[in-house]
C-alpha cells in the first residue's frame, strides 16, 4: 500500500547532489521521481527509486545520511480539480499534509506522492473515495 | 602622569623586598584560613615558615581554574562571608560558574589598580569616561566603573547593548574616553562613521580589554577615531580588569606587581622560563583578602620584561598575548571552552559527538557557528524536524555557554577525525 521513499541529507556544497546521483547510477538504481527541498544550509533529497534498500546501503557506504520511510502514492487522472478533490477528503478527515510531489510513473496518469502525519488513516480515507494507490510492484 | 609613583616607579630591589614581605604574609594567611591550600602544601611538605621571600615561590603549589570549580562556590574564600562585600562570576568549563569574592579592601585595591591604568592612558578628573563593558556578574563593567570613580573622572555607566544611545551621549556629553572591548569599539566607530559623526566627538582615549586583539586592530581603532587606544588586562580569578595595562609607549603591559606577583612558566615542565621567553603567565595575589590565590595558572601565553619603561615605570611588563595554553576561546568577551559545547551535545543525546566550532568576526562582532554532524539516529524526511533539531541544539548550547550561536547541520564524517587531540575549533579572526 505504501511506497518506500529514499531520503538523503545533502549539505549545500558544490557537487554533493551529483555524488548522490552517481552512487545510484553505479548501483544501477533507477530514479522514478525526486523532489529536492532546500534551506539556507542544507538540502533534503526525497526520491522514489527502483530499489530503495540497495540505494540506502550504497549511499550510507559513500558516507551519506539516508533513510527509507513510507509515503502514499495516488493515481490521478489528467483532469482539472482532481488533486483538490483528493486533498479535500484528507483535510476533512483532519489529517495534516507534510509534503507532496509529483510521481512520474511513465503511464498516462498523473500520480502524486503524499506524506501525511497519519499515513494509515490517510490511506483509509483515500481508499474510501475510490482513488487508486500506486503499489511498489507497478514501478 | 603616574597615579602612584611610590609603587609604580620603585627600584627592582625595593619591589622584590615588598613582594617578599607580602608573600610571606599571604602564605601564612592561606595556610591557616583555606583548607584547600593547607592540604596542598602539606602534600608538598611545605610549611609557611619555609617561604621567606619570592625566591621561595617555586615551592608553592599551583592553582587552576578547575580548583575553583571543584570548590564551587566559596570553597577558596579566605575570610568569613560577613567580610565579603561583592561576588562576581565567570563561565567555567562545565557550565558551572567560577565565583570570585571581594572584601571592601579588595575593592579598594582593585579601584586603585584601575585608576593607575586610566592614568597611564592619560586620563584624570577632568575626563568624562563612558564605561561600555557589561555590568553584572562580569567583572568588566563594575571594575572599570569603580576605578574611573576613584580617579575622580565623571563616569557614564553605559553598559553594553545600545550603540545608538552610546554614540549620542558620546557626542552630547563630550565624552573624552571609553572603556569597552576592542571589537565593540570598532563597531561603535563604524556606527559613528555611518552617521557622519566622527568629527563631532571629543574622544581622546580608549581602554580596551576582555578579549584578545592585535596591534593592527589597536592602530585601526586609533586611526578611525583619532584617539589613543590602550590595552588593559585582567581576569576575574585574580581581580578583574586592571591587573596590567600598557602606557603611551605601547611596549608591553605594566603589571601592578605590588599586588599581583607574575611568573612565566613552561606549561609542560611548569619550570620558569628565562626573561623575554614565551610561556604561561602565572599570578600570585599578594594582597587579596577574599580570594587569595597562589600561583594561579592563567593559561595566557606571554613573555615578561623587567627593564624600566620610557614612561618612568619600573613595573614588570608583559608582552601582547600570544595565545593560550588551553583551548579556551574568548568570544564577545565570554569565555568559551569547546568541552562545554561537547558536554551540552552529549547531554542532549540526539547528535553525533562530532562537532566543529567556527569562530569569525563579521562587522567587528564575533560570531560562533557550531557544525554538528547529522547522523542516522535523528535524520528525518521532514525539513521542519531538521529545523527544530537545529533550534534545539542552538538553545542547548546557548544555555551552556551563554552566547547565541548559529547551528549548521553537516553530513556525517565531514568533520575531521583526528588520531591525537581533535581539532574542534577553527578561529578565522586572526587575532595573533
Amino acid at each position: 500500500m505504501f511506497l518506500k521513499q529514499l531520503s538523503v541529507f545533502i549539505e549545500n556544497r558544490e557537487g554533493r547532489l551529483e555524488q548522490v546521483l552517481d552512487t545510484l547510477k553505479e548501483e544501477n538504481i533507477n530514479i522514478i521521481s525526486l523532489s529536492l527541498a532546500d534551506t539556507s544550509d542544507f538540502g533534503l533529497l526525497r526520491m522514489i527509486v527502483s530499489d530503495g534498500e540497495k540505494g540506502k546501503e550504497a549511499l550510507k557506504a559513500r558516507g551519506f545520511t539516508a533513510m527509507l520511510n513510507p509515503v502514499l502514492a495516488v493515481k490521478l487522472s489528467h483532469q482539472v480539480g482532481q488533486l483538490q478533490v483528493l486533498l479535500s477528503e484528507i483535510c476533512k478527515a483532519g489529517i495534516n499534509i507534510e509534503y507532496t510531489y509529483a510521481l512520474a510513473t511513465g503511464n498516462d496518469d498523473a500520480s502524486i506522492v503524499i506524506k501525511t502525519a497519519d499515513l494509515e488513516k490517510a490511506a483509509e480515507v483515500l481508499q474510501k473515495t475510490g482513488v487508486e494507490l500506486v503499489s511498489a510492484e507497478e514501478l | 602622569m603616574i597615579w602612584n609613583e611610590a609603587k609604580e616607579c620603585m627600584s627592582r630591589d625595593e619591589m622584590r623586598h615588598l613582594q617578599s614581605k607580602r608573600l610571606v604574609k599571604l602564605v601564612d594567611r592561606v595556610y591557616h584560613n583555606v583548607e584547600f591550600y593547607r592540604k596542598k602544601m602539606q602534600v608538598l611538605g611545605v610549611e609557611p615558615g619555609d617561604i621567606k621571600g619570592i625566591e621561595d615561590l617555586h615551592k608553592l603549589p599551583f592553582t587552576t581554574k578547575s580548583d575553583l570549580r571543584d570548590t564551587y562556590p566559596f570553597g577558596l574564600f579566605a575570610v568569613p562571608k560577613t567580610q565579603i562585600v561583592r561576588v562576581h562570576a565567570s563561565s567555567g568549563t562545565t557550565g558551572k560558574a567560577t565565583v570570585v569574592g571581594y572584601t571592601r579592601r579588595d575593592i579598594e585595591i582593585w579601584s586603585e589598580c584601575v585608576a593607575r591604568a586610566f592614568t597611564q592612558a592619560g586620563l584624570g578628573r577632568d575626563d568624562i569616561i563612558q564605561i561600555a563593558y557589561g555590568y553584572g556578574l562580569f567583572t568588566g563593567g563594575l571594575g572599570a566603573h569603580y576605578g574611573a570613580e576613584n580617579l575622580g573622572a565623571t563616569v557614564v555607566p553605559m553598559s553594553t547593548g545600545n550603540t545608538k544611545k552610546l554614540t549620542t551621549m558620546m557626542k552630547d556629553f563630550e565624552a573624552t574616553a571609553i572603556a569597552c572591548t576592542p571589537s565593540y569599539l570598532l563597531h561603535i566607530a563604524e556606527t559613528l562613521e555611518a552617521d557622519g559623526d566622527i568629527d563631532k566627538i571629543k574622544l581622546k582615549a580608549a581602554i580596551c580589554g576582555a578579549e584578545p586583539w592585535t596591534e593592527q586592530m589597536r592602530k585601526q581603532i586609533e586611526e578611525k577615531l583619532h584617539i589613543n587606544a590602550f590595552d588593559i588586562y585582567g581576569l576575574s580569578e585574580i581581580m578583574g580588569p586592571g591587573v596590567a595595562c600598557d602606557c603611551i609607549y605601547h611596549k608591553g603591559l605594566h603589571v601592578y606587581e605590588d599586588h599581583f606577583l607574575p611568573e612565566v612558566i613552561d606549561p609542560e615542565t611548569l619550570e620558569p622560563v628565562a626573561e623575554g621567553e614565551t610561556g604561561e603567565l602565572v599570578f600570585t595575589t599578594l594582597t587579596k583578602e577574599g580570594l587569595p590565590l597562589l600561583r594561579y595558572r592563567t593559561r595566557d601565553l606571554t613573555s615578561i620584561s623587567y627593564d624600566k619603561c620610557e614612561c618612568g615605570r619600573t613595573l614588570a611588563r608583559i608582552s601582547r598575548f600570544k595565545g593560550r595554553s588551553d583551548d579556551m576561546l574568548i568570544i564577545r568577551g565570554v569565555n568559551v571552552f569547546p568541552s562545554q559545547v561537547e558536554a551540552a551535545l552529549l547531554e542532549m543525546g540526539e547528535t553525533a559527538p562530532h562537532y566543529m566550532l567556527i569562530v569569525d568576526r563579521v562587522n567587528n562582532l564575533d560570531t560562533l557557528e557550531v557544525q554538528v554532524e547529522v547522523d542516522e539516529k535523528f535524520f528525518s524526511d521532514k525539513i521542519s524536524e531538521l529545523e527544530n533539531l537545529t533550534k534545539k541544539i542552538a538553545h542547548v548550547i546557548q544555555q551552556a555557554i551563554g552566547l547565541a550561536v548559529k547551528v549548521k547541520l553537516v553530513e556525517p564524517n565531514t568533520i575531521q577525525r583526528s588520531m591525537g587531540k581533535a581539532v574542534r575549533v577553527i578561529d578565522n579572526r586572526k587575532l595573533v
Side-chain angles (χ1 to χ4, degrees):
Chain A
M1 183 165 61
F2 302 125
L3 292 186
K4 273 185 182 164
Q5 171 184 265
L6 179 60
S7 302
V8 191
F9 180 85
I10 303 178
E11 260 176 62
N12 273 4
R13 277 195 286 137
E14 217 176 280
R16 289 310 276 167
L17 176 59
E18 192 273 331
Q19 281 157 22
V20 172
L21 301 184
D22 182 60
T23 306
L24 297 177
K25 183 181 139 201
E26 289 276 302
E27 299 293 321
N28 202 27
I29 294 166
N30 187 33
I31 300 170
I32 295 154
S33 200
L34 71 78
S35 136
L36 180 61
D38 63 304
T39 72
S40 55
D41 288 330
F42 62 87
L44 185 52
L45 181 64
R46 305 179 183 115
M47 296 176 286
I48 304 295
V49 299
S50 57
D51 190 339
E53 283 294 345
K54 197 171 154 195
K56 181 185 148 192
E57 291 312 316
L59 286 166
K60 274 173 68 178
R62 287 273 293 261
F64 286 95
T65 298
M67 67 181 281
L68 289 171
N69 64 289
V71 291
L72 276 172
V74 185
K75 284 182 192 166
L76 294 170
S77 59
H78 271 299
Q79 279 172 342
V80 174
Q82 284 294 297
L83 182 59
Q84 188 274 332
V85 169
L86 186 136
L87 294 193
S88 77
E89 291 302 320
I90 296 179
C91 289
K92 268 188 234 160
I95 301 167
N96 186 34
I97 294 174
E98 284 165 353
Y99 55 81
T100 173
Y101 56 95
L103 175 70
T105 57
N107 301 328
D108 206 20
D109 53 33
S111 302
I112 188 150
V113 172
I114 300 174
K115 172 74 190 294
T116 63
D118 187 341
L119 269 187
E120 294 281 347
K121 193 172 163 197
E124 199 180 302
V125 169
L126 289 174
Q127 277 169 333
K128 267 188 207 158
T129 66
V131 298
E132 200 182 334
L133 297 179
V134 180
S135 68
E137 292 72 37
E138 290 176 71
L139 300 173
Chain B
M1 279 290 291
I2 293 171
W3 178 259
N4 188 340
E5 209 171 325
K7 292 292 185 327
E8 296 177 70
C9 302
M10 62 170 52
S11 72
R12 291 306 313 169
D13 279 348
E14 284 174 302
M15 180 60 82
R16 286 177 63 86
H17 182 70
L18 177 68
Q19 289 171 331
S20 292
K21 214 170 69 185
R22 288 180 170 175
L23 180 67
V24 170
K25 279 192 194 164
L26 168 78
V27 170
D28 192 61
R29 214 165 60 237
V30 297
Y31 187 88
H32 291 107
N33 297 335
V34 187
E35 190 191 0
F36 169 86
Y37 280 123
R38 186 163 56 247
K39 282 190 175 157
K40 267 205 161 187
M41 285 173 63
Q42 281 166 351
V43 167
L44 293 173
V46 185
E47 284 183 11
D50 298 333
I51 308 300
K52 300 200 166 61
I54 58 171
E55 64 279 6
D56 296 319
L57 188 61
H58 67 276
K59 294 176 184 166
L60 292 168
F62 286 102
T63 312
T64 62
K65 199 176 176 81
S66 64
D67 292 330
L68 283 164
R69 192 182 67 216
D70 296 344
T71 54
Y72 174 90
F74 305 138
L76 292 188
F77 285 15
V79 295
K81 275 196 279 305
T82 49
Q83 290 180 41
I84 297 288
V85 298
R86 194 198 298 171
V87 293
H88 281 287
S90 69
S91 57
T93 48
T94 56
K96 235 185 207 176
T98 304
V99 182
V100 296
Y102 305 79
T103 64
R104 199 171 297 283
R105 184 158 169 272
D106 290 336
I107 299 279
E108 279 167 20
I109 288 171
W110 188 4
S111 308
E112 147 92 18
C113 292
V114 176
R116 289 184 192 179
F118 283 2
T119 307
Q120 254 167 245
L123 304 175
R125 50 191 309 144
D126 297 334
D127 287 288
I128 298 180
I129 306 177
Q130 286 182 303
I131 307 295
Y133 286 115
Y135 278 66
L137 286 173
F138 173 52
T139 51
L142 285 167
H145 182 109
Y146 273 60
E149 275 193 5
N150 188 26
L151 183 72
T154 305
V155 184
V156 190
M158 297 303 311
S159 196
T160 54
N162 193 334
T163 310
K164 270 278 180 257
K165 187 179 271 179
L166 186 146
T167 55
T168 302
M169 288 187 173
M170 189 180 275
K171 280 184 294 175
D172 297 350
F173 297 1
E174 300 189 336
T176 52
I178 184 165
C180 61
T181 61
S183 56
Y184 188 45
L185 187 53
L186 269 176
H187 183 71
I188 292 167
E190 272 161 15
T191 306
L192 287 164
E193 261 174 0
D195 296 343
D197 284 342
I198 287 276
D199 296 329
K200 294 178 192 156
I201 58 166
K202 298 272 191 280
L203 211 64
K204 61 181 190 185
I207 298 90
C208 298
E211 67 185 15
W213 54 319
T214 56
E215 185 60 19
Q216 289 87 325
M217 198 168 160
R218 199 180 64 75
K219 289 197 169 129
Q220 196 187 353
I221 287 172
E222 292 192 333
E223 279 160 24
K224 267 185 192 283
L225 290 166
H226 318 298
I227 60 167
N228 287 313
F230 297 85
D231 190 1
I232 192 167
Y233 171 75
L235 61 169
S236 62
E237 295 88 334
I238 298 306
M239 182 180 72
V243 172
C245 187
D246 68 350
C247 67
I248 194 68
Y249 294 97
H250 302 297
K251 288 186 178 160
L253 286 70
H254 295 280
V255 179
Y256 305 125
E257 54 173 323
D258 46 328
H259 298 294
F260 317 108
L261 178 61
E263 293 173 86
V264 178
I265 63 160
D266 180 324
E268 300 293 326
T269 66
L270 305 182
E271 294 296 324
V273 301
E275 183 176 343
E277 274 179 31
T278 298
E280 183 182 324
L281 184 61
V282 172
F283 278 114
T284 299
T285 62
L286 294 174
T287 52
K288 272 281 255 342
E289 292 178 339
L291 180 64
L293 297 179
L294 299 180
R295 308 186 82 194
Y296 182 76
R297 296 185 59 183
T298 66
R299 302 287 178 177
D300 288 316
L301 299 177
T302 186
S303 60
I304 200 162
S305 158
Y306 292 97
D307 294 341
K308 186 177 173 180
C309 180
E310 289 167 63
C311 71
R313 289 176 183 83
T314 52
L315 297 169
R317 277 173 291 158
I318 48 175
S319 69
R320 188 172 276 285
F321 291 98
K322 298 175 172 84
R324 290 184 56 85
S325 66
D326 64 5
D327 55 359
M328 189 181 91
L329 295 159
I330 304 178
I331 302 168
R332 276 176 259 152
V334 177
N335 298 348
V336 176
F337 289 91
S339 56
Q340 288 175 284
V341 175
E342 185 168 314
L345 287 174
L346 289 173
E347 198 173 325
M348 217 181 102
E350 290 183 44
T351 67
H354 302 292
Y355 64 93
M356 183 69 92
L357 306 181
I358 317 280
V359 191
D360 212 333
R361 191 161 276 177
V362 180
N363 296 327
N364 296 310
L365 289 177
D366 294 342
T367 60
L368 174 60
E369 177 179 290
V370 182
Q371 296 188 346
V372 183
E373 284 188 2
V374 175
D375 84 356
E376 221 177 325
K377 281 203 303 280
F378 64 95
F379 179 50
S380 165
D381 63 315
K382 291 193 292 183
I383 294 276
S384 57
E385 276 188 15
L386 291 173
E387 284 181 342
N388 282 341
L389 177 77
T390 308
K391 278 183 208 155
K392 190 171 165 191
I393 296 171
H395 178 74
V396 167
I397 295 175
Q398 190 174 342
Q399 291 290 314
I401 65 174
L403 259 185
V405 299
K406 176 184 164 29
V407 170
K408 184 178 178 182
L409 300 179
V410 298
E411 287 169 14
N413 299 306
T414 51
I415 290 172
Q416 191 191 340
R417 307 298 199 261
S418 157
M419 300 307 281
K421 200 178 175 214
V423 178
R424 292 294 188 211
V425 180
I426 297 173
D427 196 335
N428 292 322
R429 293 178 294 180
K430 300 191 175 60
L431 295 170
V432 182

